[in-house]
């Protein structure tokens, strides 16, 4: 103790009473425990490095239940292969997420079919535009078809590019493009529209094809949209539309709900609902190009 007393005397300081030193030590221990806990809490934190989705099971075939955005964090609960079982921070949503979309340093599946859309050229054709407004709603929203076909096209483009696809748009702004000028080449052509009828009761999604070689794509997209069952699915039907008649590639025209039906209109206007339908189109394309 003498040496310590001398050390304090030399510096003209009062020696620290033992009990204060003890309290300081206890506080220090407490802080160390807190920090250690904080680190274990954060060890099971998973951060999204790109947009993806939570699914009901550990495989891409399971339905999507929650869209996870780049930067969003989750709590890891379990792991199966390359899939992580997570919950949202508030614990309200739980689901499986592919590990390669997260910061966990997991390699994507080496399955060549994992990216069936890679380098595929997808033509997106947002219907109408400019002076051609397309169909419109009769609610106070006065929604115009031309605006929602363009929004869907732009959102779908982003999703397809995440899958490695190359996307061509027949229009990417509010302009009028003649039907004959929408005939772009690629691996698949998707014309986007909204239906309308005088009766506000008509509702649902219809996927149209015209040539026999277009039917497979229409069925794949219709099946995929049906699985999500957001808008009531009306199946794949044959119709002699010019954009289908003139196309030399697998081409479909999708009527994404009735803008004249107030419920469909709400879904057409709602970004989250659009995202679900767009993801269904991506899934349908993945299935189509996997076969
Ligand atoms: Zn239309």
């Amino acid at each position: 103790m003498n040496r310590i007393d001398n050390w304090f005397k030399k510096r003209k300081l009062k020696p620290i009473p033992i009990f204060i030193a003890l309290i300081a030590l206890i506080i220090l221990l407490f802080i160390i425990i807190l920090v250690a806990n904080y680190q274990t809490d954060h060890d099971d934190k998973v951060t999204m490095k790109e947009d993806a989705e939570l699914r009901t099971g550990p495989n891409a075939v399971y339905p999507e239940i929650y869209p996870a955005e780049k930067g969003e964090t989750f709590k890891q609960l379990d792991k199966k292969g390359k899939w992580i079982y997570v919950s949202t921070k508030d614990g309200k949503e739980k689901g499986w997420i592919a590990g390669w979309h997260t910061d966990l340093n997991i390699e994507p599946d080496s399955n060549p079919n994992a990216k069936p859309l890679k380098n595929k050229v997808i033509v997106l054709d947002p219907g109408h535009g400019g002076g051609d407004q397309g169909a419109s709603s009769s609610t106070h929203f006065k929604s115009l078809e031309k605006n929602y076909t363009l929004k869907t096209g732009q959102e779908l483009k982003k999703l397809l590019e995440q899958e490695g696809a190359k996307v061509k748009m027949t229009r990417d702004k509010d302009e009028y493009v003649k039907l004959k000028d929408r005939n772009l080449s690629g691996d698949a052509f998707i014309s986007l529209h909204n239906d309308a009828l005088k009766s506000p009761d008509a509702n649902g999604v219809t996927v149209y094809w015209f040539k026999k070689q277009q039917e497979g794509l229409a069925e794949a997209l219709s099946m995929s949209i049906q699985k999500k069952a957001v808008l009531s699915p009306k199946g794949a039907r044959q119709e002699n539309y010019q954009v289908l008649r003139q196309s030399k590639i697998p081409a479909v025209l999708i009527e994404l709900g009735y803008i004249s039906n107030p419920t469909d209109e709400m879904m057409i206007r709602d970004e989250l609902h659009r995202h679900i339908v767009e993801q269904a189109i991506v899934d349908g394309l993945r299935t189509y190009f996997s076969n």
Side-chain angles (χ1 to χ4, degrees), residues 19-73:
F19 78 94
I20 290 184
L22 266 175
I23 286 170
L25 192 69
I26 288 164
I27 290 171
L28 189 69
L29 273 172
F30 189 67
I31 290 170
I32 288 170
I33 289 165
L34 268 186
V35 168
N37 262 341
Y38 179 85
Q39 277 172 347
T40 31
D41 259 6
H42 284 67
D43 275 350
D44 47 58
K45 197 179 86 171
V46 178
T47 305
M48 302 303 298
K49 63 177 186 189
E50 57 201 14
D51 289 353
E53 50 285 315
L54 299 195
R55 295 182 182 275
T56 57
N59 190 300
V61 299
Y62 289 98
E64 177 188 332
I65 43 176
Y66 180 85
E69 282 174 15
K70 184 179 175 180
E72 199 169 347
T73 59

Side-chain angles (χ1 to χ4, degrees), residues 77-258:
L77 304 172
D78 199 0
K79 190 171 178 239
K80 205 171 193 180
K82 296 181 171 188
W83 287 73
I84 320 294
Y85 189 53
V86 297
S87 74
T88 50
K89 273 195 217 152
D90 57 11
K92 280 184 185 159
E93 300 282 352
K94 283 180 186 162
W96 292 89
I97 202 147
W100 54 89
H101 296 308
T102 71
D103 60 346
L104 290 181
N105 223 346
I106 293 173
E107 284 289 307
D109 280 335
S110 51
N111 178 359
N113 283 342
K115 283 259 176 189
L117 299 184
K118 196 168 165 61
N119 294 325
K120 290 279 184 275
V121 177
I122 311 294
V123 182
L124 296 179
D125 173 40
H128 313 280
D132 171 15
Q133 300 188 334
S136 58
S137 74
S138 50
T139 65
H140 70 278
F141 291 118
K142 300 263 175 279
S143 311
L144 299 179
E145 180 186 358
K146 65 167 186 176
N147 294 336
Y148 292 95
T149 57
L150 182 58
K151 265 190 210 297
T152 303
Q154 287 164 336
E155 290 160 0
L156 190 50
K157 178 174 188 271
K158 276 189 203 147
L159 293 179
L160 288 168
E161 284 170 348
Q162 283 170 17
E163 297 286 324
K166 298 193 166 75
V167 177
K168 288 185 190 173
M169 305 273 289
T170 58
R171 68 174 179 105
D172 59 6
K173 54 179 184 286
D174 184 19
E175 64 177 344
Y176 177 70
V177 180
K178 287 179 186 161
L179 290 181
K180 70 174 176 58
D181 295 331
R182 295 175 184 245
N183 189 14
L184 304 183
S185 63
D187 295 298
F189 175 98
I190 300 175
S191 191
L192 302 162
H193 286 260
N194 298 124
D195 254 327
L197 271 181
K198 275 231 171 70
S199 157
D201 298 334
N203 67 88
V205 175
T206 319
V207 184
Y208 290 101
W209 55 279
F210 176 59
K211 297 175 187 174
K212 202 69 194 156
Q213 48 121 332
Q214 299 169 344
E215 194 181 358
L217 177 61
E219 285 295 347
L221 293 180
S222 175
M223 288 290 284
S224 174
I225 292 169
Q226 197 163 339
K227 248 190 243 166
K228 306 269 169 161
V230 197
L231 292 156
S232 61
K234 305 184 87 165
R237 298 180 187 185
Q238 189 177 24
E239 189 67 60
N240 186 356
Y241 285 121
Q242 184 179 334
V243 286
L244 302 181
R245 192 170 61 237
Q246 71 190 6
S247 179
K248 291 183 177 64
I249 59 173
V252 295
L253 184 148
I254 312 181
E255 296 279 7
L256 290 162
Y258 280 72

